[in-house]
Amino acid sequence: MRDTQGQYNSAVRIVKTLRNGGFEAFFAGGWVRDRVMGAPSPSDIDVATSAAPADVRRLFGRTVGVGEQFGVMLVLDGGISFEVATFRADVGVGDGRHPESVVYTDAENDALRRDFTVNGMFYDPEIGEVIDYVGGRADIDGRLIKAIGDPEQRFREDYLRMLRAVRFAARFNFDIDGRTLEAIRANAHRINAISAERIYAEMSKMLTGPNSNTSIELLHGAGLLKHLLPEVENLRGVEQPAQFHPEGDVFVHTVKALSLLPENPSLALAWAALLHDIGKPATKSVADRIRFNNHNVVGARMSINALKRLRAPNALVDTVAAMVENHMNFMNVSKMRLSTLKKFLSRETIRDELALHRIDCLSSHGDLENYRFVEEKLSGFKAEQIKPKPFVTGRDLIELGLTPGPAFGRILSAVYDLQLEEKVASREEALKTMHGMLNNRDK
Ligand code: ATP
Ligand code: MG
């Protein structure tokens, strides 16, 4: 857990130091919003000040010039780092957070360059007062995400703000203000003008944050989803067999699965929940009933494409693809040979896969038998039982006179399977078995 009190005390010290140096300083951004809302665990504290980066460096012992040319410094206090940003107006904004240049200005103008009214307030920690130039408090009361100033212009400055609007609306269960939503709809097709990396980062926040199901519905409603992830938009209207999917079409199922994610899910789990069935539209066939043969394999390939397009890190792409590809294997767990089951359980992604399987069931037929089976096995087996150290290795085969080649691996894996099956219980037995295999081979 973050040390909230420690963070607060450090931030107050920073504000006092700036003020003693003759500058204005306030808390700004998400923390103020969360405080006004009475949120139980408020966002990190950012500080906004009239001090220029050079002044900040002079006043504090430990600083890092993270975005110095834009007026953003990191100040370290009590082991915590704080963004201390000079009041600024952005000039020639390319991507919003990284304008071509900035001019330093006063608090009010700094509020006006921020994205939404709820994010545009300051807080004076010495007198405990909110400073609100943009009507943020009224919009918190009215539960509205509203652009500061002219929405069209604000989104044109930085299309990422369209995604931020969706994320904040979902997170707080707020509506997006009418004119703001209209401007998003009108500009939705321009979303890919911003870098894939920023889209990926913002979508990752949406998916791992509260109410990710609402985020995806809002993205669709605002006309953004088809430009971001057509693979997910295409799940709409894809009907499924009612006996397994009483909830509805594949999109409804996916959104419901997201609603069942645990708090703070891993990035891989959140993305896999969104993408696990994207292979369904392309594999749908109607035989005895509606079927989606091989949708897990097709879906894994499509997940790789989608995530690469968004420039997701390779490790995440691989993990999500493995999770999507494996998500149907849970159907077979109770019939697997012991060696197959143990190999299935010993994979690194199994915990997240099991969590995915659980929400996949709960957002459809509700049958948790296979989930419970795997849970029991995972807690019942000791780690060395699931993935024991092999009794025999290649060295033993060499000592038995075999030269390394394709047969090598086959024999070792056959003996290891017997070990996993608990049919050979010691190194001696394994050696004997291996011997037997070699003799048979020679005949
Ligand atoms: P979170 O709790 O998700 O951190 P936050 O509101 O603190 O929410 P940050 O991304 O940390 O969001 O940004 C801090 C503040 O900077 C915002 O509250 C907002 O005032 C401003 N801001 C951030 N991104 C933008 C943007 N793209 N355009 C305009 N203002 C922005
Ligand atoms: Mg923040």
Side-chain angles (χ1 to χ4, degrees):
M1 265 313 275
R2 205 172 55 203
D3 173 8
T4 318
Q5 192 59 45
Q7 188 192 202
Y8 183 85
N9 294 340
S10 291
V12 172
R13 254 196 310 274
I14 291 173
V15 164
K16 283 187 174 159
T17 304
L18 287 162
R19 289 181 174 182
N20 289 338
F23 300 100
E24 277 184 282
F26 302 109
F27 294 177
W31 185 90
V32 184
R33 173 199 66 219
D34 291 354
R35 157 144 188 140
V36 171
M37 287 177 61
S41 56
S43 171
D44 290 345
I45 302 176
D46 298 327
V47 174
T49 179
S50 60
D55 302 317
V56 173
R57 179 170 293 119
R58 182 169 49 77
L59 286 171
F60 296 95
R62 301 179 61 198
T63 59
V64 187
V66 277
E68 202 172 335
Q69 67 274 43
F70 310 114
V72 183
M73 300 288 284
L74 280 189
V75 172
L76 283 92
D77 184 296
I80 315 168
S81 67
F82 293 86
E83 261 190 30
V84 176
T86 309
F87 297 142
R88 65 173 203 253
D90 298 335
V91 178
V93 186
D95 67 6
R97 298 210 82 177
H98 304 106
E100 282 154 26
S101 68
V102 299
V103 290
Y104 296 138
T105 178
D106 56 10
E108 180 166 2
N109 280 298
D110 183 73
L112 295 178
R113 60 112 191 145
R114 293 172 184 271
D115 49 6
F116 304 108
T117 58
V118 297
N119 288 344
M121 295 176 286
F122 299 112
Y123 181 77
D124 182 333
E126 289 196 297
I127 56 173
E129 199 167 276
V130 174
I131 298 125
D132 183 5
Y133 296 109
V134 294
R137 230 178 333 210
D139 288 335
I140 285 178
D141 289 342
R143 305 181 72 80
L144 280 181
I145 299 299
K146 186 194 287 173
I148 295 173
D150 173 25
E152 270 280 340
Q153 186 194 328
R154 302 315 308 283
F155 291 128
R156 248 180 280 128
E157 286 167 2
D158 179 10
Y159 294 118
L160 186 78
R161 291 173 187 156
M162 301 195 285
L163 300 189
R164 287 176 57 90
V166 165
R167 175 162 65 89
F168 289 119
R171 171 166 157 193
F172 302 122
N173 241 320
F174 281 17
D175 283 331
I176 300 176
D177 182 63
R179 284 190 53 222
T180 299
L181 184 57
E182 252 172 60
I184 296 177
R185 290 218 176 97
N187 288 285
H189 62 287
R190 304 208 164 96
I191 189 62
N192 290 313
I194 58 169
S195 75
E197 285 84 354
R198 292 183 82 207
I199 292 177
Y200 169 73
E202 191 61 31
M203 292 222 44
S204 293
K205 281 192 200 169
M206 270 183 212
L207 289 170
T208 55
N211 310 325
S212 55
N213 55 318
T214 311
S215 286
I216 296 301
E217 285 179 319
L218 288 174
L219 286 179
H220 162 73
L224 285 159
L225 188 60
K226 61 174 180 279
H227 300 291
L228 294 165
L229 285 167
E231 299 88 346
V232 178
E233 176 82 10
N234 290 343
L235 304 179
R236 294 179 60 81
V238 178
E239 275 170 43
Q240 318 197 71
Q243 69 265 43
F244 302 115
H245 287 282
E247 75 281 9
D249 70 26
V250 187
F251 186 78
V252 171
H253 166 69
T254 299
V255 167
K256 197 167 168 205
L258 289 173
S259 76
L260 296 168
L261 281 170
E263 228 178 285
N264 304 316
S266 75
L267 202 49
L269 175 57
W271 275 102
L274 179 68
L275 301 177
H276 74 284
D277 275 345
I278 56 171
K280 281 192 166 178
T283 56
K284 183 170 177 177
S285 65
V286 185
D288 51 330
R289 61 168 173 84
I290 298 171
R291 291 192 176 273
F292 303 99
N293 294 334
N294 222 27
H295 76 269
N296 53 318
V297 175
V298 172
R301 210 166 49 222
M302 290 172 69
S303 300
I304 293 174
N305 283 340
L307 289 168
K308 288 212 158 162
R309 195 174 68 227
L310 293 179
R311 307 230 190 289
N314 287 335
L316 190 276
V317 179
D318 292 347
T319 305
V320 172
M323 291 179 68
V324 172
E325 180 153 352
N326 273 298
H327 84 275
M328 295 303 285
N329 285 340
F330 284 81
M331 264 174 27
N332 311 318
V333 283
S334 64
K335 289 169 231 113
M336 282 179 186
R337 294 177 56 178
L338 194 53
S339 52
T340 310
L341 179 65
K342 284 183 177 176
K343 284 180 199 162
F344 185 69
L345 298 181
S346 67
R347 289 167 318 111
E348 238 170 70
T349 46
I350 188 66
R351 279 287 164 195
D352 269 345
E353 283 182 25
L354 184 58
L356 174 63
H357 174 66
R358 180 173 167 277
I359 64 178
D360 195 9
C361 295
L362 290 177
S363 54
S364 53
H365 50 70
D367 179 352
L368 288 179
E369 200 177 311
N370 292 322
Y371 168 77
R372 292 206 189 90
F373 179 89
V374 172
E375 258 295 69
E376 264 166 40
K377 294 290 175 191
L378 275 178
S379 50
F381 284 134
K382 297 188 190 77
E384 66 266 27
Q385 237 178 325
I386 297 187
K387 202 175 185 174
K389 202 167 163 289
F391 288 137
V392 290
T393 65
R395 198 170 315 145
D396 297 305
L397 278 172
I398 292 170
E399 267 167 33
L400 286 169
L402 199 72
T403 37
F408 236 67
R410 271 201 302 276
I411 293 174
L412 287 175
S413 113
V415 180
Y416 189 61
D417 278 358
L418 291 170
Q419 182 180 346
L420 290 178
E421 305 273 351
E422 295 165 16
K423 287 177 182 152
V424 303
S426 65
R427 176 165 159 79
E428 287 65 44
E429 278 182 46
L431 281 169
K432 223 163 81 188
T433 307
M434 207 160 69
H435 225 145
M437 285 177 178
L438 283 174
N439 283 339
N440 268 339
R441 218 176 61 105
D442 294 342
K443 276 176 199 151

